[in-house]
Amino acid sequence: MKKLFATIVVALSAFVSVSAQDTTAVQPIPSPWTTGLITQVGFSQVSLTNWAAGGFGSLALNSYINATADYAKDALMWNSQLQLGFGFLQTFGEGLKKTDDRIVLDSKFGYKAVDKLYFSAVFNFTSQFSTGYKGVVKESDKVSNFFAPAYTSLGLGIDYTPNQYISLNFAPLTGKVTMVKDAELRTKYGNAENEFARWELGAQLKVNAKVQVKDFSAETMLTLFSNYLDKPQNIKVNWDVAITAKLTRFLSASLRTNLIYDDKVRFLEKKDKSGNVIVDESGKPILYPAVQFKELFSLNFQYTLTNKK
């Protein structure tokens, strides 16, 4: 009986030892996904009561969300980024005016051809949330709206990623669609008055660069597009820069700029030497394109959430 008991104890000890070794040896499988979320909210307020120097009370709010989801496993990679921004200035003498308004979705899928070089497909969607006005808030001064305009593109080509900081994407076969749902705004963005969607076929070059050092991060994205079918020498430019410096755990300073040039977007009125607006045969002002630039600096409440592999 003692021999049987001793045999059982030895067997159980060996089983427990092997099980402990197996448990130690098993490692969790790393997830192929890396996700991140940055939210920023900036706020300011001015109130004036019987103020001799004059002025208007105001309320300003800027909000920004940057969500990323990256997948990498074996020869496949898939990177997606969603940017949502909205800001306004409420002046209690002139009404509400937008200061920022953007919806930008970028997605890139790639299959590795050789080291650091991928066959790729890149997708982009860009629009805004609400109505924008040139001056005071009235219907005759409306210059944009949700889906007026909205841009979407899909490009097939190659992607070169030499390191984690920079990515070069060249898509010689890129289809681009400009959609304007408001008929009165279509000619402003290059569409005919009865044309909801305008198609373009061309080549696209995209350069992404980003760096992060402790509490400082900077990211830039430059997109160049040439339309094969209509004046390919007129390159469309879209250049975004985002810089963020984290001051405390929840407080940050950010600078975001956006530069755009599109020869189809005609919004400046042509004037003669005396400053008079030049009109066409139908009496409408003659419009021409120009470089567009927006800069937004703010102090924000910031919350960052990451899920690294």
Coordinates of all heavy atoms in Angstrom, one line a residue, residues 204-241:
Q204 N -1.1 59.5 -58.9 CA -1.0 60.1 -57.6 C 0.3 59.7 -56.9 O 0.7 58.5 -56.9 CB -2.2 59.6 -56.8 CG -2.3 60.2 -55.3 CD -3.5 59.7 -54.6 OE1 -4.5 60.4 -54.6 NE2 -3.4 58.6 -53.9
L205 N 0.9 60.7 -56.2 CA 2.0 60.4 -55.4 C 1.7 60.9 -53.9 O 1.3 62.0 -53.7 CB 3.2 61.2 -55.9 CG 4.5 61.1 -55.0 CD1 5.0 59.7 -54.9 CD2 5.6 62.1 -55.5
K206 N 1.9 60.0 -53.0 CA 1.6 60.3 -51.6 C 2.9 60.1 -50.7 O 3.5 59.0 -50.8 CB 0.5 59.4 -51.1 CG -0.8 60.1 -50.7 CD -1.8 59.2 -50.1 CE -3.1 60.0 -49.8 NZ -4.1 59.2 -49.2
V207 N 3.2 61.1 -49.9 CA 4.3 61.0 -49.0 C 3.9 61.2 -47.6 O 3.2 62.2 -47.3 CB 5.4 62.1 -49.4 CG1 6.6 61.9 -48.4 CG2 5.8 61.9 -50.8
N208 N 4.1 60.2 -46.8 CA 3.7 60.3 -45.3 C 5.0 60.2 -44.5 O 5.9 59.4 -44.8 CB 2.9 59.1 -44.9 CG 1.5 59.2 -45.5 OD1 1.3 59.4 -46.6 ND2 0.5 59.1 -44.6
A209 N 5.1 61.1 -43.6 CA 6.3 61.1 -42.7 C 5.8 61.5 -41.3 O 5.0 62.3 -41.1 CB 7.4 62.1 -43.1
K210 N 6.4 60.8 -40.3 CA 6.0 61.1 -38.9 C 7.1 60.7 -38.0 O 8.0 59.8 -38.2 CB 4.7 60.3 -38.5 CG 4.8 58.8 -38.6 CD 3.5 58.1 -38.3 CE 3.6 56.6 -38.5 NZ 2.3 55.9 -38.1
V211 N 7.2 61.5 -36.9 CA 8.2 61.2 -35.9 C 7.6 61.5 -34.5 O 6.7 62.4 -34.3 CB 9.4 62.2 -36.1 CG1 9.0 63.6 -36.0 CG2 10.6 61.8 -35.2
Q212 N 8.0 60.7 -33.5 CA 7.6 60.9 -32.1 C 8.7 60.8 -31.2 O 9.4 59.7 -31.2 CB 6.5 59.9 -31.8 CG 5.9 60.2 -30.4 CD 4.6 59.5 -30.2 OE1 4.0 58.8 -31.1 NE2 4.1 59.5 -29.0
V213 N 9.0 61.8 -30.4 CA 10.1 61.8 -29.4 C 9.5 62.2 -28.1 O 9.1 63.4 -27.9 CB 11.2 62.8 -29.8 CG1 12.3 62.7 -28.8 CG2 11.7 62.4 -31.2
K214 N 9.4 61.3 -27.2 CA 8.8 61.5 -25.8 C 7.4 62.2 -26.0 O 6.5 61.6 -26.5 CB 9.7 62.3 -25.0 CG 11.0 61.6 -24.6 CD 11.9 62.4 -23.6 CE 13.1 61.6 -23.2 NZ 14.0 62.3 -22.3
D215 N 7.3 63.4 -25.6 CA 6.0 64.1 -25.6 C 5.8 65.0 -26.8 O 4.9 65.9 -26.8 CB 5.9 64.9 -24.3 CG 5.8 64.1 -23.0 OD1 5.3 62.9 -23.1 OD2 6.3 64.5 -22.0
F216 N 6.6 64.8 -27.8 CA 6.5 65.6 -29.0 C 6.2 64.7 -30.2 O 6.9 63.7 -30.4 CB 7.8 66.4 -29.3 CG 7.8 67.2 -30.6 CD1 7.2 68.4 -30.6 CD2 8.4 66.6 -31.7 CE1 7.2 69.1 -31.8 CE2 8.4 67.3 -32.9 CZ 7.8 68.6 -33.0
S217 N 5.3 65.1 -31.1 CA 5.0 64.3 -32.3 C 4.7 65.2 -33.4 O 4.2 66.3 -33.3 CB 3.8 63.3 -32.1 OG 2.6 64.1 -31.9
A218 N 5.2 64.8 -34.6 CA 4.9 65.6 -35.8 C 4.6 64.6 -37.0 O 5.2 63.6 -37.1 CB 6.1 66.4 -36.2
E219 N 3.6 65.0 -37.8 CA 3.2 64.1 -38.9 C 2.8 65.0 -40.1 O 2.2 66.1 -39.9 CB 2.0 63.2 -38.5 CG 1.6 62.3 -39.6 CD 0.5 61.4 -39.1 OE1 0.0 61.5 -38.0 OE2 0.1 60.5 -40.0
T220 N 3.2 64.6 -41.3 CA 2.9 65.3 -42.5 C 2.5 64.4 -43.6 O 3.0 63.2 -43.6 CB 4.1 66.2 -42.9 OG1 3.7 67.0 -44.1 CG2 5.3 65.4 -43.3
M221 N 1.6 64.8 -44.4 CA 1.1 64.0 -45.5 C 1.0 64.9 -46.7 O 0.2 65.9 -46.7 CB -0.2 63.3 -45.2 CG -0.8 62.5 -46.4 SD -2.5 61.9 -46.1 CE -2.2 60.8 -44.7
L222 N 1.7 64.6 -47.8 CA 1.6 65.4 -49.0 C 1.1 64.5 -50.1 O 1.6 63.4 -50.4 CB 3.0 65.8 -49.4 CG 3.2 66.5 -50.8 CD1 2.4 67.8 -50.8 CD2 4.7 66.8 -51.1
T223 N 0.0 65.0 -50.8 CA -0.6 64.3 -51.9 C -0.6 65.1 -53.2 O -1.0 66.3 -53.2 CB -2.1 63.9 -51.6 OG1 -2.1 63.2 -50.3 CG2 -2.7 63.1 -52.7
L224 N 0.0 64.5 -54.2 CA 0.0 65.2 -55.5 C -0.7 64.4 -56.5 O -0.6 63.1 -56.6 CB 1.5 65.4 -56.0 CG 2.5 66.1 -55.1 CD1 3.9 66.0 -55.6 CD2 2.0 67.5 -54.8
F225 N -1.6 65.0 -57.3 CA -2.4 64.3 -58.3 C -2.4 65.0 -59.7 O -2.5 66.2 -59.7 CB -3.9 64.2 -57.8 CG -4.8 63.5 -58.8 CD1 -4.8 62.1 -58.9 CD2 -5.6 64.3 -59.6 CE1 -5.7 61.5 -59.8 CE2 -6.5 63.7 -60.5 CZ -6.5 62.3 -60.6
S226 N -2.2 64.2 -60.7 CA -2.2 64.7 -62.1 C -3.3 64.0 -62.9 O -3.3 62.8 -62.9 CB -0.8 64.5 -62.7 OG -0.9 64.9 -64.1
N227 N -4.2 64.7 -63.5 CA -5.3 64.2 -64.3 C -4.8 63.9 -65.7 O -4.5 64.9 -66.4 CB -6.5 65.1 -64.2 CG -7.7 64.6 -64.9 OD1 -7.7 63.4 -65.3 ND2 -8.7 65.4 -65.1
Y228 N -4.8 62.7 -66.1 CA -4.4 62.3 -67.5 C -5.3 63.0 -68.5 O -4.8 63.3 -69.6 CB -4.4 60.8 -67.7 CG -3.4 60.0 -66.9 CD1 -3.8 58.8 -66.4 CD2 -2.1 60.5 -66.7 CE1 -2.8 58.0 -65.7 CE2 -1.2 59.7 -66.0 CZ -1.6 58.5 -65.4 OH -0.7 57.7 -64.7
L229 N -6.5 63.1 -68.2 CA -7.5 63.5 -69.2 C -7.7 65.0 -69.4 O -8.4 65.4 -70.4 CB -8.9 62.8 -68.8 CG -8.9 61.3 -68.5 CD1 -10.2 60.9 -68.1 CD2 -8.4 60.6 -69.7
D230 N -7.2 65.8 -68.5 CA -7.5 67.2 -68.6 C -6.3 68.0 -67.9 O -6.2 68.0 -66.7 CB -8.8 67.6 -67.9 CG -9.1 69.1 -68.1 OD1 -8.6 69.7 -69.0 OD2 -9.9 69.6 -67.3
K231 N -5.5 68.6 -68.8 CA -4.3 69.4 -68.3 C -3.5 68.7 -67.2 O -3.5 69.1 -66.0 CB -4.9 70.8 -67.7 CG -5.6 71.6 -68.8 CD -6.1 72.9 -68.2 CE -6.9 73.7 -69.2 NZ -7.4 75.0 -68.6
P232 N -2.8 67.6 -67.6 CA -2.0 66.9 -66.6 C -0.9 67.7 -66.0 O -0.4 67.3 -64.9 CB -1.5 65.7 -67.4 CG -1.6 66.2 -68.9 CD -2.8 67.1 -68.9
Q233 N -0.5 68.8 -66.6 CA 0.6 69.6 -66.1 C 0.1 70.4 -64.8 O 0.9 70.9 -64.1 CB 1.1 70.6 -67.1 CG 0.2 71.7 -67.5 CD -0.9 71.4 -68.6 OE1 -1.0 70.2 -68.9 NE2 -1.5 72.4 -69.1
N234 N -1.2 70.6 -64.7 CA -1.8 71.3 -63.5 C -1.9 70.3 -62.3 O -2.9 69.6 -62.2 CB -3.1 71.9 -63.8 CG -3.0 73.0 -64.8 OD1 -1.9 73.5 -65.1 ND2 -4.1 73.5 -65.3
I235 N -0.9 70.2 -61.5 CA -0.8 69.3 -60.4 C -1.7 69.8 -59.2 O -1.6 70.9 -58.8 CB 0.6 69.1 -59.9 CG1 1.6 68.7 -61.0 CG2 0.7 68.1 -58.8 CD1 1.2 67.4 -61.7
K236 N -2.6 68.9 -58.7 CA -3.4 69.2 -57.6 C -2.5 68.8 -56.3 O -1.9 67.8 -56.2 CB -4.7 68.4 -57.6 CG -5.5 68.6 -58.8 CD -6.8 67.8 -58.8 CE -7.5 67.8 -60.1 NZ -7.9 69.1 -60.6
V237 N -2.6 69.8 -55.4 CA -1.7 69.6 -54.2 C -2.6 69.6 -52.9 O -3.5 70.5 -52.8 CB -0.7 70.7 -54.1 CG1 0.2 70.6 -52.8 CG2 0.2 70.8 -55.3
N238 N -2.3 68.7 -52.0 CA -3.0 68.7 -50.7 C -1.9 68.3 -49.7 O -1.4 67.2 -49.7 CB -4.1 67.7 -50.6 CG -5.0 67.9 -49.4 OD1 -4.6 68.1 -48.3 ND2 -6.3 67.9 -49.7
W239 N -1.6 69.2 -48.8 CA -0.5 69.0 -47.8 C -0.9 69.3 -46.4 O -1.3 70.4 -46.1 CB 0.7 70.0 -48.2 CG 1.9 69.7 -47.4 CD1 2.2 68.7 -46.6 CD2 3.0 70.7 -47.3 NE1 3.5 68.9 -46.0 CE2 4.0 70.1 -46.4 CE3 3.3 71.9 -47.9 CZ2 5.2 70.7 -46.1 CZ3 4.5 72.5 -47.5 CH2 5.4 71.9 -46.7
D240 N -0.9 68.3 -45.6 CA -1.3 68.4 -44.2 C -0.1 68.3 -43.3 O 0.8 67.5 -43.5 CB -2.3 67.3 -43.8 CG -3.7 67.6 -44.3 OD1 -4.1 68.8 -44.3 OD2 -4.4 66.6 -44.6
V241 N -0.1 69.1 -42.2 CA 1.0 69.0 -41.2 C 0.3 69.1 -39.8 O -0.6 69.9 -39.6 CB 2.0 70.2 -41.3 CG1 3.0 70.1 -40.1 CG2 2.7 70.1 -42.6

